[in-house]
Amino acid sequence: MAAPSMGGVSLPRGNGQVVRLPRGASLTDLAERIGAQPAALVTALFHLGEMVTATQSVNEDTLQLLGAEIGWDIQVVSPEDEDRELLETFDLTFGDEGDEDDWVARPPVVTVMGHVDHGKTKLLDAIRNTNVVAREAGGITQHIGAYQVVTELEGEERPITFIDTPGHESFTAMRARGAKVTDIVVLVVAADDGVMPQTVEALNHAQAAAVPIVVAVNKVDKEGANPAKIRQQLTEYGLVAEEYGGDTMFVDVSATTRQGIDDLLAAILLTADASLDLRANAEQDPQGVVIEGKLDKGRGPVATVLVQRGTLRVGDSIVAGDAYGRVRSLLDEYGNKLKEASPARPVQVVGLTSVPRAGDTFLVVEEDRVARQIADRRQARIRNAQNASMRKRISLEDLDAALKENRQLNLIIKGDNSGTVEALEEALMKIEVSDDVSLRVIHRGVGSITKSDIDLALADDVIVLGFNVRAEGQATELANREGIDVRYYSVIYQAIEEIEAALKGMLKPEYEEVALGTAEVREVFRVPRIGNVAGSIVRSGTINRNSKARLVRDGVVVADNLTVESLRRFKDDVTEVREGYECGIGLGSFNDIKVEDVIETFEVREKPRT
Ligand code: GDP
């Protein structure tokens, strides 16, 4: 096959063959797969109007554009597929194995959603505190991100698992990562308020995920509570109460008086029994999802995981997202040590080498070595993908500007837990100041700011953000010595404000023209050694010596970029002449001045940023 020439560089032409690349791949990666020189691809892409370096991640559209041009069918593999393939190389799959008949019934996993202030948090507290087991254990409940309660239904003790982070973010974040955790949504609606925007949003999320809903009509203790109105309102959204002939269970509760909590728990179980067949293989290698991750001062990285199948035990080799390790201890929500955790059990895992992110899946593998290899491969992939998404595409038009000035603010974000770091990063990436400056997170992580973070910061123009964490002693010294900007925050919006201000500070000043005055030429004098001088009358504003000027003739700008070099009234040099007065204006070497021309003067000022 003849090699096509693009900009003088020859490339191996594909015949529509498929090349599979991970998201975030660079031209070097592509070059390797198709046996080309990376530089040739850079040039080819340049001719297509995109400027990237050989090692920079290239987005999917651009890769496909390039592929089409050189005859290769480039397929960018989704992270999910890629992960599946990664696990396959270790003979692993994420999911229930074996014969469904051997699976055992498992408790439902519930997420509480609803409008702000309708009582989600209080309801979760009330449910936790009515728990029989909690009283027996006598333990102090701790927030680990999820808990289990046991309730009696038809003479049988049955557990229910609650995700203890109310709100929609955790639900959608997990779904976005492909983790299906929630079996049932409890939709909280305050009886004294009614259906509100976030009620509808929650409902939409649940329905989109095909998750059954139980409605908790809360605050029925309050004066003005109107539970019937809630039922009525929700029929409009397709939630029809059982008592009205529908199939949604509505339960009147009060998180304050704890009225109706038992009924709510019963309704959850009845709904699960009626519409879901919740089973899991309890025998296979354990797997599940990370609910929350944080760095604990004493214990190191701690992750709350929800076991979805199999039985997790102390001593298991585990890989959770890009973290791995050996399970050192398992703790429940009362701080009790557990030997094992069965399906739908939320449990804190101690023993990981780093902090996984909420929504990451975990697997138990045969050997530590496998866990580490999977974690390493995932780390590399996450890094690539992040680089790809953070980097803005540079078009050919912008190339000049981009090469001349690289106005990019680099950040390193460290925080006390993975949730806040992600939330902060997400919020910061939403800041839009101007196309001229961009923000890039070059590193993020959970834990204190270390010397290696500062080392990294040294390389570029970097601000290091510590969210609820501080720099270690050595790191502080190094940062001080090298003048690295390290900032501490405990409130997200404050970080946003400051970073926004920093970005604005990086903007090139913008200038605007402000008109100062106009003068009409009445007569032209020829002055030796000076040239032509315009005998004029100031028609508006003022004419100032040294101000910028242009000459307009019959409404057309004849000359721009002039300067009022001399300004006289009678025999005197003056600096300013006001409206209505006559004066002589000299425009330097510019002599093409005619009677009735208009001289406009203006000033260029820096525009204040809004
Ligand atoms: P969230 O934003 O949905 O998590 O709502 P919260 O749980 O923080 O509750 C918001 C406010 O409503 C708090 O002041 C609670 O004390 C109050 N509240 C929650 N549930 C009830 C209830 O059943 N009865 C009454 N009277 N107040 C409640």
Side-chain angles (χ1 to χ4, degrees), residues 312 316-320 323-327 349 352 362-365 371:
L312 184 63
D316 282 346
S317 296
I318 185 174
V319 53
Y324 69 97
R326 177 87 63 94
V327 178
V349 173
L352 291 165
F362 82 83
L363 293 92
V364 165
V365 296

Side-chain angles (χ1 to χ4, degrees), residues 114-123 166 188 218-222 253-257:
H115 196 71
V116 64
D117 275 350
H118 280 195
K120 297 178 292 293
T121 311
K122 196 148 179 94
L123 186 64
V188 179
N218 192 31
K219 306 197 187 184
V220 292
D221 61 292
K222 279 185 98 170
V253 298
S254 163
T256 306
T257 67

Side-chain angles (χ1 to χ4, degrees), residues 469-484:
V469 294
R470 294 288 176 267
E472 290 170 357
Q474 267 194 323
T476 309
E477 268 171 44
L478 183 63
N480 289 342
R481 196 164 61 235
E482 301 289 346
I484 298 292

Side-chain angles (χ1 to χ4, degrees), residues 286-290 303 305 307 312-313 315-328 330 347-353 356 361-375 378:
Q287 298 179 342
V289 175
V290 175
V305 304
V307 178
L312 184 63
R313 296 192 170 86
D316 282 346
S317 296
I318 185 174
V319 53
D322 61 346
Y324 69 97
R326 177 87 63 94
V327 178
R328 202 159 68 224
L330 293 172
V347 69
Q348 257 191 341
V349 173
V350 182
L352 291 165
T353 49
T361 55
F362 82 83
L363 293 92
V364 165
V365 296
E366 285 293 302
E367 291 176 69
D368 294 353
R369 184 181 53 86
V370 173
R372 198 190 61 236
Q373 282 174 356
I374 295 173
R378 283 177 172 166

